[in-house]
Amino acid sequence: MKGYFLLFLHHHLPFVKHPEFSYFQEEHWLFEAIAEVYVPLIKTVRKLKEEETEVKLGLSLTPPLCEMLADPTLQGKLRQFLDRSLELAEKEIKRTEKEPEFNRLAKMYREHFLSVKEELERLNWNVLNGYRELAEKGAVEIATCGATHGLLPALQPVPESVRTQIKIAVKNYLKHFRRRPEGIWLPECGYYPGLEEELLKHGIRYFFLDTHGLLYGRPFPKFGVYSAVKTPAGGYCFGRDPESSKQVWSSKEGYPGDPWYRDFYRDIGFDLPLEYVKPYINPDGHRTYTGFKYYRITGNVDLGRKEVYIPEKAAERARVHAAHYHFCRAKQAEYLESVMGRPPLIVAPFDAELFGHWWFEGPLFLYHLFKNFSRYRVIRPVTPSGYLNENGELPVSQPATSSWGDKGYFDVWVNGRNGWIYYHLTAMALTLNRLRGLPRTPLNTRLLNQMLRELLLAQSSDWPFLITTQTAKEYAERRLKEHIYNFSKLKQMLDSQKPQESFLRKLEEKNSIFQELNFWEDWG
Protein backbone atom coordinates (compact mmCIF):
# COMPACT_ATOMS: atom_id res chain seq x y z
CA MET A 1 0.00 0.00 0.00
CA LYS A 2 1.54 3.26 -1.19
CA GLY A 3 -1.10 5.77 -0.12
CA TYR A 4 -4.61 6.61 1.04
CA PHE A 5 -7.41 8.05 -1.08
CA LEU A 6 -10.19 10.05 0.54
CA LEU A 7 -13.13 10.74 -1.76
CA PHE A 8 -15.52 13.23 -0.19
CA LEU A 9 -18.88 14.13 -1.75
CA HIS A 10 -20.63 17.26 -0.50
CA HIS A 11 -24.43 16.85 -0.66
CA HIS A 12 -26.31 20.11 -0.39
CA LEU A 13 -29.36 21.99 -1.65
CA PRO A 14 -31.02 25.05 -0.12
CA PHE A 15 -34.28 24.49 1.75
CA VAL A 16 -37.04 24.91 -0.85
CA LYS A 17 -40.59 23.97 0.10
CA HIS A 18 -43.73 25.48 -1.36
CA PRO A 19 -46.80 23.58 -0.14
CA GLU A 20 -48.98 26.36 -1.53
CA PHE A 21 -48.21 25.18 -5.10
CA SER A 22 -48.78 21.74 -6.62
CA TYR A 23 -45.76 22.36 -8.89
CA PHE A 24 -42.85 24.64 -8.08
CA GLN A 25 -39.84 24.75 -10.39
CA GLU A 26 -37.13 25.18 -7.73
CA GLU A 27 -38.39 22.10 -5.84
CA HIS A 28 -37.24 20.11 -8.85
CA TRP A 29 -33.62 20.77 -7.84
CA LEU A 30 -34.27 18.20 -5.11
CA PHE A 31 -36.15 15.68 -7.25
CA GLU A 32 -33.52 15.76 -9.99
CA ALA A 33 -30.74 15.29 -7.43
CA ILE A 34 -32.54 12.30 -5.91
CA ALA A 35 -33.14 10.63 -9.29
CA GLU A 36 -29.79 11.43 -10.88
CA VAL A 37 -27.33 11.56 -7.96
CA TYR A 38 -28.43 10.24 -4.57
CA VAL A 39 -30.22 7.03 -5.58
CA PRO A 40 -27.58 6.06 -8.21
CA LEU A 41 -24.81 6.67 -5.66
CA ILE A 42 -26.55 4.57 -2.99
CA LYS A 43 -27.09 1.76 -5.49
CA THR A 44 -23.48 1.94 -6.71
CA VAL A 45 -21.98 1.72 -3.23
CA ARG A 46 -24.37 -1.06 -2.22
CA LYS A 47 -23.45 -3.04 -5.35
CA LEU A 48 -19.75 -2.68 -4.53
CA LYS A 49 -20.38 -3.92 -1.01
CA GLU A 50 -22.40 -6.88 -2.30
CA GLU A 51 -19.49 -7.75 -4.60
CA GLU A 52 -17.18 -7.63 -1.57
CA THR A 53 -15.22 -4.72 -3.02
CA GLU A 54 -13.56 -2.45 -0.48
CA VAL A 55 -15.39 0.86 -0.63
CA LYS A 56 -14.83 3.76 1.77
CA LEU A 57 -15.74 7.39 1.26
CA GLY A 58 -16.77 10.45 3.19
CA LEU A 59 -19.78 12.59 2.43
CA SER A 60 -21.74 15.44 3.93
CA LEU A 61 -25.51 15.67 4.13
CA THR A 62 -26.41 19.23 5.05
CA PRO A 63 -29.25 19.90 7.51
CA PRO A 64 -31.48 21.63 4.89
CA LEU A 65 -31.08 18.63 2.58
CA CYS A 66 -31.82 16.17 5.39
CA GLU A 67 -34.94 18.14 6.32
CA MET A 68 -36.19 18.09 2.72
CA LEU A 69 -35.44 14.41 2.19
CA ALA A 70 -37.44 13.54 5.33
CA ASP A 71 -40.34 15.93 4.61
CA PRO A 72 -43.66 14.13 3.84
CA THR A 73 -44.91 16.98 1.61
CA LEU A 74 -41.82 16.85 -0.58
CA GLN A 75 -41.85 13.05 -0.60
CA GLY A 76 -45.38 13.22 -2.01
CA LYS A 77 -44.26 15.64 -4.72
CA LEU A 78 -41.31 13.36 -5.49
CA ARG A 79 -43.77 10.53 -6.25
CA GLN A 80 -45.61 12.85 -8.64
CA PHE A 81 -42.33 13.85 -10.30
CA LEU A 82 -41.43 10.21 -10.94
CA ASP A 83 -44.92 9.36 -12.20
CA ARG A 84 -44.75 12.28 -14.66
CA SER A 85 -41.29 11.17 -15.80
CA LEU A 86 -42.51 7.62 -16.38
CA GLU A 87 -45.55 8.90 -18.26
CA LEU A 88 -43.24 10.99 -20.47
CA ALA A 89 -41.02 7.93 -21.02
CA GLU A 90 -43.99 5.97 -22.40
CA LYS A 91 -44.91 8.87 -24.69
CA GLU A 92 -41.31 9.10 -25.89
CA ILE A 93 -41.12 5.37 -26.59
CA LYS A 94 -44.21 5.67 -28.75
CA ARG A 95 -43.07 8.92 -30.45
CA THR A 96 -39.67 7.49 -31.38
CA GLU A 97 -40.78 3.99 -32.44
CA LYS A 98 -39.59 4.64 -36.02
CA GLU A 99 -36.27 6.11 -34.86
CA PRO A 100 -34.35 3.17 -33.32
CA GLU A 101 -31.40 5.18 -31.96
CA PHE A 102 -33.75 7.48 -30.02
CA ASN A 103 -36.24 4.74 -29.15
CA ARG A 104 -33.69 2.70 -27.23
CA LEU A 105 -32.66 5.81 -25.28
CA ALA A 106 -36.29 6.48 -24.38
CA LYS A 107 -36.49 2.89 -23.10
CA MET A 108 -33.25 3.45 -21.17
CA TYR A 109 -34.83 6.41 -19.39
CA ARG A 110 -37.95 4.39 -18.61
CA GLU A 111 -35.76 1.73 -16.98
CA HIS A 112 -33.83 4.42 -15.13
CA PHE A 113 -36.90 6.04 -13.60
CA LEU A 114 -38.45 2.64 -12.80
CA SER A 115 -35.24 1.66 -11.03
CA VAL A 116 -35.22 4.92 -9.03
CA LYS A 117 -38.86 4.42 -8.03
CA GLU A 118 -38.23 0.83 -6.99
CA GLU A 119 -35.28 1.89 -4.83
CA LEU A 120 -37.27 4.71 -3.21
CA GLU A 121 -40.08 2.31 -2.40
CA ARG A 122 -37.51 0.06 -0.73
CA LEU A 123 -36.30 3.07 1.28
CA ASN A 124 -39.85 4.09 2.21
CA TRP A 125 -39.36 7.22 0.05
CA ASN A 126 -36.70 8.60 2.41
CA VAL A 127 -33.22 8.69 0.83
CA LEU A 128 -31.70 9.13 4.29
CA ASN A 129 -32.56 5.50 4.99
CA GLY A 130 -30.20 4.49 2.18
CA TYR A 131 -27.33 6.59 3.50
CA ARG A 132 -27.88 5.28 7.03
CA GLU A 133 -27.65 1.70 5.72
CA LEU A 134 -24.33 2.43 4.02
CA ALA A 135 -22.98 4.15 7.13
CA GLU A 136 -23.95 1.18 9.29
CA LYS A 137 -22.05 -1.10 6.90
CA GLY A 138 -18.94 1.09 7.20
CA ALA A 139 -18.91 2.10 3.53
CA VAL A 140 -19.55 5.79 4.07
CA GLU A 141 -18.95 8.27 6.86
CA ILE A 142 -21.48 11.09 7.04
CA ALA A 143 -20.40 14.57 8.12
CA THR A 144 -22.63 17.52 8.86
CA CYS A 145 -22.49 21.14 7.66
CA GLY A 146 -23.67 24.53 8.90
CA ALA A 147 -27.35 24.55 9.88
CA THR A 148 -28.40 26.32 6.68
CA HIS A 149 -25.04 26.39 4.87
CA GLY A 150 -24.31 29.90 6.12
CA LEU A 151 -20.85 31.26 5.25
CA LEU A 152 -19.46 31.31 8.78
CA PRO A 153 -16.70 33.95 8.33
CA ALA A 154 -19.32 36.37 6.98
CA LEU A 155 -21.55 35.73 10.03
CA GLN A 156 -18.66 36.28 12.44
CA PRO A 157 -19.63 39.89 13.40
CA VAL A 158 -22.38 38.38 15.56
CA PRO A 159 -20.74 35.32 17.19
CA GLU A 160 -24.14 33.93 18.19
CA SER A 161 -24.90 33.36 14.50
CA VAL A 162 -21.83 31.15 14.06
CA ARG A 163 -22.49 29.23 17.27
CA THR A 164 -26.14 28.67 16.34
CA GLN A 165 -25.28 27.43 12.84
CA ILE A 166 -23.03 24.78 14.42
CA LYS A 167 -25.25 23.96 17.41
CA ILE A 168 -28.38 23.37 15.33
CA ALA A 169 -26.43 21.39 12.73
CA VAL A 170 -25.29 18.95 15.43
CA LYS A 171 -28.79 18.77 16.93
CA ASN A 172 -30.32 18.08 13.51
CA TYR A 173 -27.73 15.41 12.70
CA LEU A 174 -28.55 13.69 15.98
CA LYS A 175 -32.25 13.71 15.01
CA HIS A 176 -31.68 12.11 11.62
CA PHE A 177 -28.77 9.74 12.35
CA ARG A 178 -29.21 9.04 16.08
CA ARG A 179 -25.63 9.93 16.91
CA ARG A 180 -23.40 13.00 16.90
CA PRO A 181 -21.23 13.92 13.88
CA GLU A 182 -17.46 13.57 14.03
CA GLY A 183 -16.81 15.90 11.11
CA ILE A 184 -18.15 18.91 9.27
CA TRP A 185 -17.98 20.27 5.76
CA LEU A 186 -17.63 23.98 6.46
CA PRO A 187 -20.06 25.83 4.16
CA GLU A 188 -18.09 26.89 1.06
CA CYS A 189 -14.98 25.71 3.01
CA GLY A 190 -15.24 29.11 4.72
CA TYR A 191 -12.77 29.22 7.61
CA TYR A 192 -11.15 31.67 10.01
CA PRO A 193 -8.65 30.81 12.78
CA GLY A 194 -10.39 29.92 16.01
CA LEU A 195 -13.47 28.43 14.36
CA GLU A 196 -12.38 24.92 15.30
CA GLU A 197 -12.63 25.83 18.99
CA GLU A 198 -16.38 26.17 18.52
CA LEU A 199 -16.49 22.92 16.55
CA LEU A 200 -14.68 21.02 19.28
CA LYS A 201 -17.21 22.17 21.88
CA HIS A 202 -19.78 20.11 19.96
CA GLY A 203 -17.58 17.05 19.44
CA ILE A 204 -16.65 17.85 15.82
CA ARG A 205 -13.03 16.87 15.39
CA TYR A 206 -12.32 17.37 11.68
CA PHE A 207 -13.11 19.72 8.79
CA PHE A 208 -12.00 20.34 5.20
CA LEU A 209 -10.35 23.32 3.49
CA ASP A 210 -9.32 24.19 -0.03
CA THR A 211 -5.64 23.72 -0.88
CA HIS A 212 -4.41 27.20 0.04
CA GLY A 213 -6.18 27.13 3.39
CA LEU A 214 -3.74 24.42 4.45
CA LEU A 215 -0.65 25.49 2.48
CA TYR A 216 -0.75 29.04 3.85
CA GLY A 217 -0.93 27.71 7.39
CA ARG A 218 1.69 28.53 10.04
CA PRO A 219 4.05 26.83 10.22
CA PHE A 220 3.92 25.37 6.74
CA PRO A 221 2.54 21.83 7.17
CA LYS A 222 5.39 19.36 6.80
CA PHE A 223 3.64 17.21 4.20
CA GLY A 224 1.55 19.91 2.52
CA VAL A 225 -1.96 18.70 1.71
CA TYR A 226 -0.83 15.06 1.66
CA SER A 227 -1.52 14.58 5.34
CA ALA A 228 -4.20 15.87 7.66
CA VAL A 229 -2.88 18.47 10.12
CA LYS A 230 -3.66 18.99 13.77
CA THR A 231 -4.57 22.55 14.65
CA PRO A 232 -3.19 24.21 17.80
CA ALA A 233 -6.74 24.08 19.24
CA GLY A 234 -6.83 20.32 18.78
CA GLY A 235 -9.05 19.78 15.72
CA TYR A 236 -7.97 18.12 12.48
CA CYS A 237 -8.01 19.62 9.01
CA PHE A 238 -7.93 17.95 5.58
CA GLY A 239 -6.79 19.89 2.51
CA ARG A 240 -7.88 19.35 -1.10
CA ASP A 241 -5.34 17.85 -3.50
CA PRO A 242 -5.57 20.07 -6.61
CA GLU A 243 -4.21 17.49 -9.06
CA SER A 244 -6.71 14.72 -8.35
CA SER A 245 -9.61 17.19 -8.23
CA LYS A 246 -8.79 19.03 -11.43
CA GLN A 247 -8.55 15.80 -13.39
CA VAL A 248 -12.26 15.27 -12.77
CA TRP A 249 -13.98 18.64 -12.53
CA SER A 250 -12.03 20.81 -14.98
CA SER A 251 -14.30 21.82 -17.85
CA LYS A 252 -11.30 21.83 -20.24
CA GLU A 253 -9.20 18.92 -19.01
CA GLY A 254 -11.60 16.86 -16.89
CA TYR A 255 -13.13 13.55 -17.87
CA PRO A 256 -16.77 14.80 -17.96
CA GLY A 257 -15.98 16.80 -21.10
CA ASP A 258 -15.27 13.67 -23.15
CA PRO A 259 -17.20 13.79 -26.46
CA TRP A 260 -18.78 10.36 -25.88
CA TYR A 261 -20.48 11.34 -22.63
CA ARG A 262 -24.08 12.48 -22.49
CA ASP A 263 -24.65 16.19 -23.06
CA PHE A 264 -26.44 17.81 -20.13
CA TYR A 265 -27.83 20.85 -21.92
CA ARG A 266 -29.55 19.26 -24.93
CA ASP A 267 -32.93 18.20 -23.51
CA ILE A 268 -36.33 17.51 -25.07
CA GLY A 269 -37.79 20.13 -22.73
CA PHE A 270 -36.25 22.68 -25.10
CA ASP A 271 -36.23 20.67 -28.34
CA LEU A 272 -39.80 19.42 -28.74
CA PRO A 273 -43.01 21.40 -29.40
CA LEU A 274 -44.34 23.25 -26.36
CA GLU A 275 -47.75 21.56 -26.57
CA TYR A 276 -46.07 18.14 -26.30
CA VAL A 277 -43.76 18.86 -23.33
CA LYS A 278 -45.94 21.35 -21.46
CA PRO A 279 -47.35 18.77 -18.96
CA TYR A 280 -43.76 17.94 -17.94
CA ILE A 281 -42.26 21.41 -17.57
CA ASN A 282 -43.32 24.51 -15.67
CA PRO A 283 -47.14 24.90 -16.00
CA ASP A 284 -46.69 28.51 -17.11
CA GLY A 285 -44.94 27.20 -20.24
CA HIS A 286 -41.43 28.17 -19.11
CA ARG A 287 -39.18 25.57 -20.71
CA THR A 288 -36.89 23.56 -18.47
CA TYR A 289 -35.07 20.24 -18.27
CA THR A 290 -37.06 17.00 -18.30
CA GLY A 291 -34.11 14.62 -17.87
CA PHE A 292 -34.62 13.15 -21.35
CA LYS A 293 -31.38 13.89 -23.20
CA TYR A 294 -30.58 12.05 -26.42
CA TYR A 295 -27.28 13.59 -27.48
CA ARG A 296 -23.65 13.27 -26.54
CA ILE A 297 -21.21 16.10 -25.96
CA THR A 298 -19.75 15.41 -29.44
CA GLY A 299 -17.02 18.05 -29.24
CA ASN A 300 -16.62 21.76 -29.78
CA VAL A 301 -19.87 22.28 -31.68
CA ASP A 302 -23.07 24.17 -30.95
CA LEU A 303 -26.09 22.42 -29.40
CA GLY A 304 -27.83 21.99 -32.74
CA ARG A 305 -25.03 19.83 -34.17
CA LYS A 306 -24.72 17.28 -31.39
CA GLU A 307 -24.53 13.58 -32.27
CA VAL A 308 -26.72 10.87 -30.76
CA TYR A 309 -25.71 9.45 -27.39
CA ILE A 310 -24.48 5.84 -27.38
CA PRO A 311 -24.62 4.40 -23.83
CA GLU A 312 -22.19 1.53 -24.56
CA LYS A 313 -19.51 3.93 -25.81
CA ALA A 314 -20.02 6.19 -22.81
CA ALA A 315 -19.81 3.22 -20.41
CA GLU A 316 -16.54 2.15 -21.98
CA ARG A 317 -15.13 5.66 -21.63
CA ALA A 318 -16.10 5.66 -17.93
CA ARG A 319 -14.20 2.39 -17.47
CA VAL A 320 -11.15 3.77 -19.31
CA HIS A 321 -11.20 7.04 -17.39
CA ALA A 322 -11.48 5.23 -14.06
CA ALA A 323 -8.45 3.11 -15.00
CA HIS A 324 -6.52 6.22 -16.06
CA TYR A 325 -7.45 8.07 -12.87
CA HIS A 326 -6.36 5.10 -10.76
CA PHE A 327 -3.05 4.87 -12.66
CA CYS A 328 -2.37 8.58 -12.07
CA ARG A 329 -3.20 8.34 -8.36
CA ALA A 330 -1.01 5.24 -8.01
CA LYS A 331 1.99 6.97 -9.62
CA GLN A 332 1.30 10.10 -7.54
CA ALA A 333 1.18 8.04 -4.34
CA GLU A 334 4.33 6.08 -5.21
CA TYR A 335 6.31 9.28 -5.79
CA LEU A 336 4.96 11.06 -2.72
CA GLU A 337 5.62 8.05 -0.51
CA SER A 338 9.26 7.97 -1.70
CA VAL A 339 9.86 11.61 -0.72
CA MET A 340 7.67 11.72 2.38
CA GLY A 341 8.78 8.46 3.90
CA ARG A 342 5.16 7.60 4.72
CA PRO A 343 2.01 6.87 2.72
CA PRO A 344 0.44 10.12 1.48
CA LEU A 345 -3.23 11.00 1.82
CA ILE A 346 -4.86 12.20 -1.40
CA VAL A 347 -8.04 14.16 -0.63
CA ALA A 348 -10.50 14.61 -3.51
CA PRO A 349 -13.64 16.55 -2.50
CA PHE A 350 -16.43 17.28 -4.98
CA ASP A 351 -20.00 18.51 -5.03
CA ALA A 352 -22.00 15.29 -5.17
CA GLU A 353 -24.11 16.64 -8.05
CA LEU A 354 -21.14 16.26 -10.38
CA PHE A 355 -21.66 12.49 -10.26
CA GLY A 356 -24.90 11.79 -12.08
CA HIS A 357 -26.46 15.21 -12.63
CA TRP A 358 -23.78 17.11 -14.54
CA TRP A 359 -21.85 13.95 -15.42
CA PHE A 360 -24.40 11.24 -16.14
CA GLU A 361 -21.75 8.51 -16.18
CA GLY A 362 -20.17 9.68 -12.90
CA PRO A 363 -21.58 6.86 -10.72
CA LEU A 364 -20.24 4.29 -13.21
CA PHE A 365 -16.82 5.98 -13.07
CA LEU A 366 -16.85 5.65 -9.27
CA TYR A 367 -17.84 1.98 -9.53
CA HIS A 368 -14.86 1.18 -11.74
CA LEU A 369 -12.53 3.35 -9.66
CA PHE A 370 -13.23 1.41 -6.46
CA LYS A 371 -12.90 -1.82 -8.43
CA ASN A 372 -9.39 -0.71 -9.43
CA PHE A 373 -8.50 0.24 -5.86
CA SER A 374 -9.56 -3.22 -4.73
CA ARG A 375 -7.88 -5.07 -7.59
CA TYR A 376 -4.42 -3.46 -7.44
CA ARG A 377 -4.22 -2.49 -3.74
CA VAL A 378 -1.70 0.29 -4.38
CA ILE A 379 -3.99 2.89 -2.85
CA ARG A 380 -6.47 2.23 -0.08
CA PRO A 381 -9.73 4.21 0.13
CA VAL A 382 -10.45 5.59 3.59
CA THR A 383 -13.02 7.59 5.51
CA PRO A 384 -11.85 10.71 7.37
CA SER A 385 -12.10 9.06 10.80
CA GLY A 386 -10.51 5.89 9.47
CA TYR A 387 -7.44 7.87 8.40
CA LEU A 388 -7.21 9.77 11.68
CA ASN A 389 -7.54 6.58 13.70
CA GLU A 390 -4.67 4.95 11.79
CA ASN A 391 -2.32 7.95 11.85
CA GLY A 392 -1.63 9.12 15.36
CA GLU A 393 1.16 11.69 14.94
CA LEU A 394 0.24 14.42 12.47
CA PRO A 395 1.92 17.77 11.68
CA VAL A 396 0.69 20.72 13.74
CA SER A 397 -0.24 23.86 11.81
CA GLN A 398 -2.66 26.77 12.10
CA PRO A 399 -4.71 26.87 8.85
CA ALA A 400 -5.28 30.19 7.11
CA THR A 401 -8.47 32.15 6.53
CA SER A 402 -9.85 30.93 3.22
CA SER A 403 -12.76 29.52 1.20
CA TRP A 404 -13.09 27.52 -1.96
CA GLY A 405 -14.63 29.03 -5.08
CA ASP A 406 -13.38 31.77 -7.38
CA LYS A 407 -10.34 33.63 -5.93
CA GLY A 408 -10.50 31.58 -2.73
CA TYR A 409 -11.44 34.34 -0.26
CA PHE A 410 -15.25 34.63 -0.11
CA ASP A 411 -15.53 36.90 -3.17
CA VAL A 412 -18.37 34.84 -4.65
CA TRP A 413 -20.51 35.33 -1.53
CA VAL A 414 -19.53 38.84 -0.41
CA ASN A 415 -19.25 41.43 -3.20
CA GLY A 416 -20.88 44.52 -4.65
CA ARG A 417 -23.90 42.60 -5.94
CA ASN A 418 -24.85 40.89 -2.72
CA GLY A 419 -23.13 42.79 0.11
CA TRP A 420 -26.47 44.33 1.15
CA ILE A 421 -27.55 40.95 2.50
CA TYR A 422 -25.19 41.05 5.48
CA TYR A 423 -26.54 44.35 6.84
CA HIS A 424 -29.90 42.63 7.27
CA LEU A 425 -28.45 39.39 8.65
CA THR A 426 -26.46 41.32 11.24
CA ALA A 427 -29.46 43.46 12.25
CA MET A 428 -31.70 40.39 12.58
CA ALA A 429 -29.13 38.56 14.72
CA LEU A 430 -28.66 41.57 17.00
CA THR A 431 -32.43 41.79 17.37
CA LEU A 432 -32.54 38.19 18.60
CA ASN A 433 -29.81 39.01 21.10
CA ARG A 434 -31.97 41.76 22.56
CA LEU A 435 -34.97 39.43 22.86
CA ARG A 436 -33.33 36.73 24.94
CA GLY A 437 -34.60 38.27 28.17
CA LEU A 438 -38.30 38.03 27.28
CA PRO A 439 -40.58 35.86 29.41
CA ARG A 440 -40.70 32.24 28.22
CA THR A 441 -44.40 32.20 27.45
CA PRO A 442 -45.87 29.78 24.86
CA LEU A 443 -46.59 32.68 22.47
CA ASN A 444 -43.10 34.18 22.81
CA THR A 445 -41.53 30.78 22.27
CA ARG A 446 -43.57 30.12 19.16
CA LEU A 447 -42.81 33.52 17.63
CA LEU A 448 -39.11 33.48 18.51
CA ASN A 449 -38.70 29.95 17.16
CA GLN A 450 -40.08 31.06 13.81
CA MET A 451 -38.01 34.25 13.83
CA LEU A 452 -34.92 32.12 14.31
CA ARG A 453 -35.96 29.86 11.42
CA GLU A 454 -36.40 32.91 9.17
CA LEU A 455 -32.94 34.21 10.10
CA LEU A 456 -31.31 30.82 9.54
CA LEU A 457 -32.97 30.44 6.13
CA ALA A 458 -31.85 33.95 5.16
CA GLN A 459 -28.26 33.08 6.18
CA SER A 460 -27.95 30.38 3.50
CA SER A 461 -24.88 30.96 1.30
CA ASP A 462 -26.91 29.77 -1.70
CA TRP A 463 -28.70 33.10 -2.06
CA PRO A 464 -25.61 35.34 -2.49
CA PHE A 465 -24.07 32.66 -4.71
CA LEU A 466 -27.08 32.62 -7.05
CA ILE A 467 -27.10 36.42 -7.14
CA THR A 468 -23.41 36.53 -8.09
CA THR A 469 -23.68 33.87 -10.77
CA GLN A 470 -26.98 35.30 -12.10
CA THR A 471 -28.56 31.83 -12.00
CA ALA A 472 -31.99 31.85 -10.34
CA LYS A 473 -31.11 35.40 -9.25
CA GLU A 474 -34.74 36.53 -9.02
CA TYR A 475 -35.72 33.55 -6.88
CA ALA A 476 -32.73 34.08 -4.56
CA GLU A 477 -33.52 37.77 -4.06
CA ARG A 478 -37.21 36.99 -3.52
CA ARG A 479 -36.39 34.37 -0.91
CA LEU A 480 -34.08 36.73 0.96
CA LYS A 481 -36.58 39.56 1.01
CA GLU A 482 -39.31 37.14 2.06
CA HIS A 483 -37.36 35.92 5.09
CA ILE A 484 -36.41 39.46 6.09
CA TYR A 485 -40.05 40.56 5.81
CA ASN A 486 -41.28 37.52 7.75
CA PHE A 487 -38.80 38.22 10.53
CA SER A 488 -39.93 41.84 10.76
CA LYS A 489 -43.63 40.95 10.84
CA LEU A 490 -43.07 38.32 13.53
CA LYS A 491 -41.20 40.93 15.57
CA GLN A 492 -44.24 43.23 15.33
CA MET A 493 -46.46 40.43 16.63
CA LEU A 494 -44.03 39.85 19.46
CA ASP A 495 -44.07 43.53 20.42
CA SER A 496 -47.86 43.79 20.30
CA GLN A 497 -48.47 40.29 21.72
CA LYS A 498 -51.16 39.95 19.01
CA PRO A 499 -50.34 37.06 16.68
CA GLN A 500 -51.86 36.89 13.20
CA GLU A 501 -52.69 33.21 13.44
CA SER A 502 -53.19 32.47 9.72
CA PHE A 503 -49.91 34.17 8.75
CA LEU A 504 -47.98 32.43 11.51
CA ARG A 505 -49.46 29.02 10.74
CA LYS A 506 -48.63 29.46 7.03
CA LEU A 507 -45.01 30.24 7.88
CA GLU A 508 -44.75 27.27 10.21
CA GLU A 509 -45.99 25.00 7.43
CA LYS A 510 -43.89 26.45 4.62
CA ASN A 511 -40.65 27.27 6.46
CA SER A 512 -40.93 24.19 8.63
CA ILE A 513 -37.23 23.43 8.88
CA PHE A 514 -35.87 22.27 12.25
CA GLN A 515 -38.98 21.27 14.18
CA GLU A 516 -36.62 20.35 17.03
CA LEU A 517 -35.45 23.97 17.29
CA ASN A 518 -35.90 25.85 20.59
CA PHE A 519 -34.89 29.52 20.62
CA TRP A 520 -34.13 29.57 24.34
CA GLU A 521 -31.71 26.65 24.04
CA ASP A 522 -30.33 27.08 20.53
CA TRP A 523 -29.70 30.77 19.91
CA GLY A 524 -26.09 31.53 20.76
Side-chain angles (χ1 to χ4, degrees), residues 252-277:
K252 295 181 180 178
E253 306 164 41
Y255 301 128
D258 187 274
W260 286 103
Y261 286 142
R262 190 188 76 164
D263 187 272
F264 172 82
Y265 296 99
R266 187 80 186 267
D267 187 286
I268 67 168
F270 301 94
D271 283 355
L272 298 184
L274 182 59
E275 296 73 22
Y276 180 86
V277 298

Side-chain angles (χ1 to χ4, degrees), residues 260-323:
W260 286 103
Y261 286 142
R262 190 188 76 164
D263 187 272
F264 172 82
Y265 296 99
R266 187 80 186 267
D267 187 286
I268 67 168
F270 301 94
D271 283 355
L272 298 184
L274 182 59
E275 296 73 22
Y276 180 86
V277 298
K278 192 170 183 180
Y280 313 101
I281 60 173
N282 202 313
D284 66 5
H286 181 74
R287 288 183 179 267
T288 188
Y289 298 103
T290 64
F292 286 75
K293 306 168 197 293
Y294 296 146
Y295 294 89
R296 62 185 179 95
I297 291 171
T298 305
N300 190 24
V301 299
D302 60 47
L303 283 176
R305 295 170 56 202
K306 299 290 182 179
E307 295 181 12
V308 177
Y309 179 62
I310 304 174
E312 296 80 8
K313 288 280 191 179
E316 175 61 18
R317 295 305 291 161
R319 187 191 65 79
V320 169
H321 284 148

